Amino acid sequence: MTLRVPFDGFVEAVRRNLSTHDAYVHSDNARVIISAGQGDKKMVVISSSQSPLDQVKSKLHGDGFHVYDGLWSIGDDFELMEMPYLGAVSYRANKEKTGVWLEAYPEMPNGTMVLQDLYEEFKTSGEIGDITFDQFELNAQASVVILSPGQIETFLTSKRLQGV
């Protein structure tokens, strides 16, 4: 069982539901994931913060917790970490050059949505002239790939197994 709480409620949730003063932290450079668990209860309390890792550790120490590097989980780590969907586009930038564009999405996009986001970004930045989306799609010769959190986790797991 996983209990997700805002970071400011993490300490109280752990004290209320678990009998531990150990917290584990994992930073993915975008945020810090904080977790506490108790094997015999089969329960994990998890939170995240966009504060720097040293600030998160300092706050937890101040609240009487021992802090370790790591991440408690029950089930899939990628689900706990709320990994995004990634939409990638390979496109013809000009006659000599191919470009690649990447965007993260909180929910599963479709290929058209990803390509429209690229089109809107290029229109806003002035990288393309006054052309319609249909003209852009034709000229760009784009290929869209969407990766789910599960696929991303599979890639990460295979790299870890290879020692990369």
Side-chain angles (χ1 to χ4, degrees):
M1 178 175 11
T2 304
L3 173 62
R4 289 179 185 82
V5 297
F7 181 56
D8 60 1
F10 178 81
V11 170
E12 180 58 33
V14 171
R15 288 182 177 148
R16 192 172 42 253
N17 294 284
L18 302 172
S19 55
T20 185
H21 294 311
D22 295 340
Y24 288 80
V25 294
H26 172 78
S27 177
D28 65 5
N29 296 321
R31 66 179 170 219
V32 177
I33 300 168
I34 307 97
S35 60
Q38 198 168 327
D40 60 337
K41 283 195 168 189
K42 295 184 180 179
M43 179 178 190
V44 172
V45 177
I46 191 162
S47 186
S48 66
S49 174
Q50 292 184 336
S51 297
L53 179 61
D54 58 339
Q55 286 180 10
V56 170
K57 285 182 174 183
S58 179
K59 179 178 180 344
L60 292 168
H61 282 299
D63 288 330
F65 278 73
H66 303 282
V67 181
Y68 304 95
D69 291 328
L71 177 68
W72 269 90
S73 72
I74 294 177
D76 298 325
D77 285 340
F78 70 87
E79 189 270 335
L80 290 174
M81 296 172 69
E82 299 178 10
M83 292 176 72
Y85 291 85
L86 296 179
V89 180
S90 170
Y91 61 93
R92 173 66 57 195
N94 57 43
K95 290 181 182 178
E96 295 85 32
K97 184 177 163 189
T98 300
V100 176
W101 180 86
L102 181 70
E103 182 64 78
Y105 296 85
E107 296 181 10
M108 177 74 156
N110 63 43
T112 301
M113 287 172 53
V114 173
L115 197 54
Q116 285 175 330
D117 286 348
L118 170 62
Y119 171 76
E120 290 300 325
E121 182 176 313
F122 282 6
K123 287 287 281 186
T124 301
S125 69
E127 292 181 58
I128 57 175
D130 190 25
I131 65 171
T132 67
F133 175 75
D134 290 336
Q135 290 169 321
F136 171 75
E137 187 175 26
L138 181 65
N139 293 339
Q141 300 175 3
S143 296
V144 178
V145 175
I146 298 168
L147 296 175
S148 70
Q151 290 169 311
I152 296 167
E153 181 66 17
T154 299
F155 288 133
L156 288 171
T157 301
S158 69
K159 292 294 182 193
R160 286 184 195 124
L161 292 175
Q162 294 173 12
V164 176

